[in-house]
């Protein structure tokens, strides 16, 4: 079956669980915030393969007010009439949300949705949405008033494939974001005959791999399929997660693709329009035993403050998380085995994974959303459970992690069949909150309480020569405790996207000495002596200003 896992590196104690307190606990505020959404995978006993997936989340700014709004992507009953009911919630800026799905333009469609990726593809200042679906995806253009129009047919986007995760990136650095779609497998209801006796869900080995799709944004709302021209047309992927990173620091965005039971790919962008897979050479394609793992959710960030991005991968039961640390010169070493990362995640099936600074101490922590696939996983281990708690692994600042899941509160540790997850500062207090979905279950909003005891800085970018949302821009911050780097990125997690605003934890640092932004256009800006606990908007043309309102 498809796979996943959890994280933890270093630390002490059997199983990586120390019970040490963390500065953050999480409170379930779903009901009081007005979030009411339950995922529907359409299962009715036929065991159609896509029923195991789905539940993606996207954080976006519907109306341009700077506050994070939420989109929950839904499936539907197979062959039923009527619209697919996604969840679309506008932030009221007081800790609550309004259900604005009706009349949004996302309503009225009959699609089986899985995930979403967000960017301003036409540079008009409004967030647009690409939905991954079982039949090629849908592109929705934001009309500027919080409503959307399906422009798939006229845009050139949509290839009929079964896609789970996607990401926007400006791979040719022309100021327009392009779209990378990580297609999963060659599947249709006509070819899905089920597996076993009686028939149940098949695993990924029952289906042929496919190639990803790369759409180049040519402007005027049009895209062209450049997959073959970019060297990406080899049908060997079974993509589950997509993360964009510049692993070799050459200024061109590369793509990591986690593929289910086939080797993961690290596609190097040569800057001339082509990608070459260097994953095997870099050490990120296989486990340390030389096996292809589940490779479900993925993320990339500099967790050890080396100045180079590391790669995080969720895997299946008994596979552990992959925590690939950049060792330099384009080589990675998996830090999970023999550490708390491996011990904490060994019994988990992990879908969404990402780095975030939960306690704002300046060191990126790890979150993993876990949940079983179906009853067949019990044949692998009698201890396996379909509903599983998430994991929170705290970065101890020395390159190791400790499992602080139990200390993160009862609401955090509630078991579920976890799938999508994202982070955002929904209440404007400076720390990052969590949004989670469950397969065929309710969505949850978990408020971070206590993370803002430390100092922080929030940075939102507005491109001019670069794309409007600053996707691909690199931000380097220097404060008394050292240097941190972040990149504005679409995608990552699993079928989901977190907010594009960057959050830097500062610990007790009283000042940000320098803040340097390197834009995809090549423009570099440098600012000095910035007070902490501040929200900044940095414009590529106009420079820095304090945000007029949270967050």
């Amino acid at each position: 079956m498809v796979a996943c896992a959890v994280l933890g590196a270093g630390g002490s104690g059997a199983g990586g669980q120390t019970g040490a307190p963390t500065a953050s606990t999480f409170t379930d505020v779903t009901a009081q915030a007005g979030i009411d959404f339950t995922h529907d995978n359409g299962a009715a006993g036929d065991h159609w393969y896509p029923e195991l997936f789905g539940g993606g989340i996207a954080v976006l700014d519907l109306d341009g007010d700077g506050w994070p709004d939420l989109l929950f992507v839904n499936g539907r009953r197979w062959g039923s009439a009527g619209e697919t009911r996604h969840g679309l919630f506008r932030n009221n800026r007081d800790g609550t949300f309004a259900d604005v799905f009706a009349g949004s333009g996302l309503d009225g469609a009959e699609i089986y949705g899985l995930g979403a990726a967000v960017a301003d593809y036409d540079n008009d200042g409004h967030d647009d949405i690409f939905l991954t679906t079982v039949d090629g995806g849908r592109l929705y253009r934001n009309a500027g008033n919080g409503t959307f129009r399906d422009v798939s047919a006229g845009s050139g986007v949509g290839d009929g494939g079964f896609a789970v995760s996607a990401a926007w990136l400006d791979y040719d650095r022309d100021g327009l974001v392009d779209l990378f779609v990580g297609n999963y497998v060659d599947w249709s209801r006509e070819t899905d005959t089920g597996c076993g006796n009686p028939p149940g869900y098949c695993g990924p080995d029952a289906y042929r791999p496919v190639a990803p799709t790369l759409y180049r944004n040519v402007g005027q709302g049009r895209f062209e399929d450049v997959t073959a021209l970019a060297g990406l047309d080899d049908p060997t992927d079974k993509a589950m997660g997509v993360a964009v990173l510049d692993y070799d620091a050459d200024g061109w965005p590369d793509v990591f693709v986690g593929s289910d039971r086939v080797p993961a790919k690290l596609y190097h962008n040569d800057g001339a329009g082509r990608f070459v897979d260097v994953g095997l050479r870099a050490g990120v394609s296989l486990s340390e035993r030389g096996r292809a793992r589940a490779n479900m959710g993925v993320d990339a960030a500099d967790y050890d403050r080396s100045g180079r991005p590391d790669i995080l991968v969720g895997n299946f039961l008994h596979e552990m998380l992959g925590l690939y640390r950049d060792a330099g010169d384009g080589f990675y070493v998996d830090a999970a085995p023999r550490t708390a990362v491996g011990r904490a995640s060994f019994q988990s099936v992990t879908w969404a994974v990402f780095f975030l600074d939960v306690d704002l101490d300046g060191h990126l922590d790890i979150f993993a959303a876990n949940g079983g696939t179906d009853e067949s996983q019990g044949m692998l281990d009698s201890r396996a459970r379909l509903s599983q708690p998430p994991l929170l692994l705290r970065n101890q600042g020395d390159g190791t992690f400790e499992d602080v899941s139990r200390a993160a509160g009862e609401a955090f540790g509630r078991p579920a069949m976890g799938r999508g997850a994202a982070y955002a500062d929904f209440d404007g207090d400076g720390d990052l909150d969590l949004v989670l979905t469950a397969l065929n279950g309710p969505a949850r909003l978990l408020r971070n309480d206590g993370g803002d005891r430390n100092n922080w800085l929030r940075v939102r970018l507005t491109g001019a020569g670069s794309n409007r949302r600053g996707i691909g821009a690199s931000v380097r911050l220097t404060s008394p405790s050292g240097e941190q780097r972040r990149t504005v990125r679409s995608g990552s997690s699993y079928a989901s996207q977190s907010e594009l605003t960057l959050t830097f934890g500062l610990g007790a640092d009283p000042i940000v000495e320098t803040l340097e932004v390197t834009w995809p256009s090549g423009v570099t800006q440098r600012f000095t002596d910035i007070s902490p606990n501040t929200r900044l908007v940095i414009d590529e043309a106009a420079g820095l200003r304090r945000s007029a309102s949270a967050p």
Side-chain angles (χ1 to χ4, degrees), residues 363-385:
H363 301 282
L364 291 173
D365 311 303
I366 291 173
F367 171 82
N370 307 313
T373 51
D374 73 322
E375 289 77 4
S376 66
Q377 73 180 40
M379 295 186 294
L380 301 175
D381 190 328
S382 61
R383 296 168 294 177
R385 296 291 181 267

Side-chain angles (χ1 to χ4, degrees), residues 373-440:
T373 51
D374 73 322
E375 289 77 4
S376 66
Q377 73 180 40
M379 295 186 294
L380 301 175
D381 190 328
S382 61
R383 296 168 294 177
R385 296 291 181 267
L386 287 176
S387 292
Q388 301 176 8
L391 287 179
L392 182 61
L393 301 164
R394 182 176 180 271
N395 190 331
Q396 300 188 93
D398 58 0
T400 67
F401 291 84
E402 62 173 335
D403 184 352
V404 295
S405 306
R406 294 178 187 173
E410 181 276 331
F412 180 89
R414 197 171 300 153
M417 289 186 70
R419 290 300 186 264
Y423 58 79
D425 179 15
F426 87 91
D427 54 359
D429 65 354
D431 58 25
L432 294 172
D433 312 296
L434 297 172
V435 193
L436 317 177
T437 64
L439 188 73
N440 249 18

Side-chain angles (χ1 to χ4, degrees), residues 333-347:
V333 176
D334 190 352
R338 298 173 300 278
T339 69
V341 169
R343 290 191 294 270
S345 59
F346 187 73
Q347 290 290 343

Side-chain angles (χ1 to χ4, degrees), residues 43-254:
D46 293 314
H47 297 97
W48 301 123
Y49 194 40
E51 293 168 6
L52 298 175
F53 309 94
I57 305 165
V59 180
L60 71 163
D61 187 354
L62 288 172
D63 46 12
D65 65 354
W67 288 75
D69 308 303
L70 300 174
L71 168 66
F72 299 94
V73 182
N74 213 352
R76 61 182 285 103
R77 296 287 162 176
W78 301 98
S80 64
E83 68 182 15
T84 303
R85 286 203 58 82
H86 307 294
L88 187 64
F89 296 90
R90 187 188 66 235
N91 196 323
N92 292 327
R93 299 181 286 184
D94 60 0
T96 68
F97 290 79
D99 185 341
V100 294
F101 175 70
S104 66
L106 299 178
D107 55 346
E110 300 178 17
I111 61 173
Y112 195 106
L114 295 167
V118 173
D120 180 4
Y121 76 83
D122 52 1
N123 287 337
D124 65 353
H126 309 297
D127 280 351
D128 310 301
I129 302 168
F130 177 74
L131 290 187
T132 58
T133 70
V134 298
D135 61 353
R138 299 289 190 279
L139 179 62
Y140 289 92
R141 180 178 180 271
N142 191 330
N145 57 0
T147 66
F148 296 85
R149 183 167 63 91
D150 186 342
V151 296
S152 309
S155 68
V157 169
D159 61 1
F162 171 9
V164 176
S165 294
W168 296 92
L169 72 163
D170 187 359
Y171 84 95
D172 52 3
R173 291 170 51 183
D174 65 351
L176 299 170
V177 286
D178 314 295
L179 179 62
F180 184 100
V181 180
N183 295 313
Y184 182 41
V185 294
D186 184 7
W187 175 90
S188 70
R189 290 173 65 187
E190 291 71 31
T191 59
D192 189 340
T193 58
C195 294
N197 187 20
Y201 293 108
C202 296
D205 292 343
Y207 306 99
R208 292 193 302 269
V210 291
T213 306
L214 179 63
Y215 296 103
R216 180 175 177 266
N217 189 339
V218 297
Q220 304 300 312
R222 294 283 303 168
F223 293 80
E224 62 179 358
D225 186 336
V226 295
T227 309
L229 289 173
L232 294 168
D233 56 337
D234 185 14
T236 55
D237 289 354
K238 295 183 179 181
M240 295 285 279
V242 176
V244 180
L245 70 161
D246 181 6
Y247 83 95
D248 56 351
D250 65 352
W252 296 91
D254 311 301

Side-chain angles (χ1 to χ4, degrees), residues 287-491:
S287 73
E288 66 169 11
R289 295 184 176 182
R291 297 173 181 172
R293 294 189 283 187
N295 295 315
M296 302 180 79
V298 300
D299 195 18
D302 179 15
Y303 81 85
D304 56 358
R305 292 171 68 159
S306 67
R308 302 180 299 269
D310 311 294
I311 298 173
L312 175 65
V313 184
N315 290 304
F316 198 62
L317 189 72
H318 296 173
E319 289 185 336
M320 302 184 292
L321 289 174
L323 181 59
Y324 296 102
R325 180 180 60 83
D326 189 322
D329 296 325
F331 295 100
Y332 289 81
V333 176
D334 190 352
R338 298 173 300 278
T339 69
V341 169
R343 290 191 294 270
S345 59
F346 187 73
Q347 290 290 343
S348 297
V349 178
T350 299
W351 299 78
V353 289
F354 45 72
F355 295 104
L356 77 166
D357 191 350
V358 167
D359 51 6
L360 300 174
D361 66 350
H363 301 282
L364 291 173
D365 311 303
I366 291 173
F367 171 82
N370 307 313
T373 51
D374 73 322
E375 289 77 4
S376 66
Q377 73 180 40
M379 295 186 294
L380 301 175
D381 190 328
S382 61
R383 296 168 294 177
R385 296 291 181 267
L386 287 176
S387 292
Q388 301 176 8
L391 287 179
L392 182 61
L393 301 164
R394 182 176 180 271
N395 190 331
Q396 300 188 93
D398 58 0
T400 67
F401 291 84
E402 62 173 335
D403 184 352
V404 295
S405 306
R406 294 178 187 173
E410 181 276 331
F412 180 89
R414 197 171 300 153
M417 289 186 70
R419 290 300 186 264
Y423 58 79
D425 179 15
F426 87 91
D427 54 359
D429 65 354
D431 58 25
L432 294 172
D433 312 296
L434 297 172
V435 193
L436 317 177
T437 64
L439 188 73
N440 249 18
R444 294 200 297 151
L445 176 62
L446 302 183
R447 187 185 65 212
N448 185 344
D449 293 327
D452 57 349
R453 294 171 189 162
N454 282 321
N455 292 330
W456 48 267
L457 188 73
R458 300 258 296 162
V459 180
R460 182 158 52 98
L461 301 184
T462 301
S466 303
N467 67 87
R468 184 64 65 91
R469 292 291 262 137
I471 290 174
S474 174
V475 180
R476 182 170 64 92
L477 177 151
T478 304
S479 63
S481 61
E483 183 177 290
Q484 301 180 55
R485 293 176 184 263
R486 303 276 195 281
T487 300
V488 181
R489 294 173 302 118
S490 167

